[in-house]
Amino acid sequence: DSGVTQTPKHLITATGQRVTLRCSPRSGDLSVYWYQQSLDQGLQFLIQYYNGEERAKGNILERFSAQQFPDLHSELNLSSLELGDSALYFCASSSTGQNTEAFFGQGTRLTVV
Amino acid sequence: AQSVTQLDSQVPVFEEAPVELRCNYSSSVSVYLFWYVQYPNQGLQLLLKYLSGSTLVKGINGFEAEFNKSQTSFHLRKPSVHISDTAEYFCAVSDLGSARQLTFGSGTQLTVLP
């Protein structure tokens, strides 16, 4: 158990809909990262938050957004869903300091039908 | 920007045989290097990491990796694999800045055969 909790584990929704994925980081970790794992694109970094503020942005579509709340949990919002958005979405968290590593949650599997 | 190339998408190997999973990276700046393992229907677990110091890094489950700066490689090795090592393995890099997001390779599926 990595200590990172993601909910829900599975999500099935229709095209055009909006969903919210939730992540609770390890206790004390200020950084939260979101990654997308799909068959055609592999594992891609989407966005990072640090202590409530956006720190870095990767290949995140404009239809997607995220935020980190004062209690440090994070949500990834996906809207106007398309079939190609079906993927496994991972959240990871890390603490500050040089020798830190990212701990990954078990992921949310999103299926768009 | 960084990129990671995992040279083999699938590696079948017999139980108790040695294995090497290859990883090359490209970056204009110094990087940290990682190997993660993903078991079926699970998240990513860190096997080992290279931050600095000794170029031979030992990780969990008997795995080790060697950082070769001149060849920009970070190959993963295990002298004797078990059936339970069957999984997908990802090589990743991050820069040394404050963001530290990971750039992953495309993964290598290791299948250990009885």
Side-chain angles (χ1 to χ4, degrees), chain B residues 27-104:
Chain B
S27 177
S28 56
V29 299
S30 295
V31 294
Y32 294 143
L33 295 149
F34 305 84
W35 275 97
Y36 281 86
V37 61
Q38 185 178 26
Y39 298 102
N41 301 313
Q42 293 196 25
L44 295 157
Q45 181 183 8
L46 182 70
L47 275 179
L48 47 79
K49 61 185 177 185
Y50 173 79
L51 304 180
S52 64
S54 172
T55 56
L56 183 63
V57 181
K58 294 192 184 300
I60 62 171
N61 300 341
F63 283 94
E64 64 180 33
E66 186 151 21
F67 169 55
N68 187 320
K69 189 173 183 179
S70 62
Q71 297 189 3
T72 60
S73 68
F74 191 53
H75 300 332
L76 181 71
R77 302 185 184 101
K78 186 169 182 177
S80 175
V81 294
H82 304 289
I83 297 285
S84 59
D85 292 322
T86 295
E88 184 133 28
Y89 291 79
F90 292 93
C91 181
V93 302
S94 76
D95 62 28
L96 275 59
S98 57
R100 307 267 187 88
Q101 68 267 28
L102 295 162
T103 300
F104 285 92

Side-chain angles (χ1 to χ4, degrees), chain A residues 17-63:
Chain A
Q17 294 298 305
R18 172 189 169 94
V19 297
T20 298
L21 313 183
R22 183 188 168 100
C23 170
S24 294
R26 290 189 322 152
S27 177
D29 283 358
L30 299 179
S31 277
V32 170
Y33 307 78
W34 286 98
Y35 291 86
Q36 179 195 59
Q37 184 179 32
S38 62
L39 284 175
D40 53 347
Q41 301 283 343
L43 264 163
Q44 286 196 102
F45 166 70
L46 296 178
I47 197 164
Q48 181 205 2
Y49 276 80
Y50 177 82
N51 202 21
E53 294 192 1
E54 184 183 302
R55 173 67 64 92
K57 227 171 188 177
N59 297 323
I60 187 166
L61 299 172
E62 283 192 14
R63 300 183 285 108

Side-chain angles (χ1 to χ4, degrees), chain A residues 44-95:
Chain A
Q44 286 196 102
F45 166 70
L46 296 178
I47 197 164
Q48 181 205 2
Y49 276 80
Y50 177 82
N51 202 21
E53 294 192 1
E54 184 183 302
R55 173 67 64 92
K57 227 171 188 177
N59 297 323
I60 187 166
L61 299 172
E62 283 192 14
R63 300 183 285 108
F64 297 180
S65 65
Q67 53 185 328
Q68 186 179 26
F69 295 87
D71 67 352
L72 301 179
H73 91 270
S74 178
E75 293 181 356
L76 179 67
N77 301 295
L78 316 176
S79 61
S80 303
L81 285 166
E82 302 174 359
L83 296 177
D85 297 326
S86 295
L88 193 51
Y89 291 84
F90 284 112
C91 169
S93 74
S94 70
S95 60

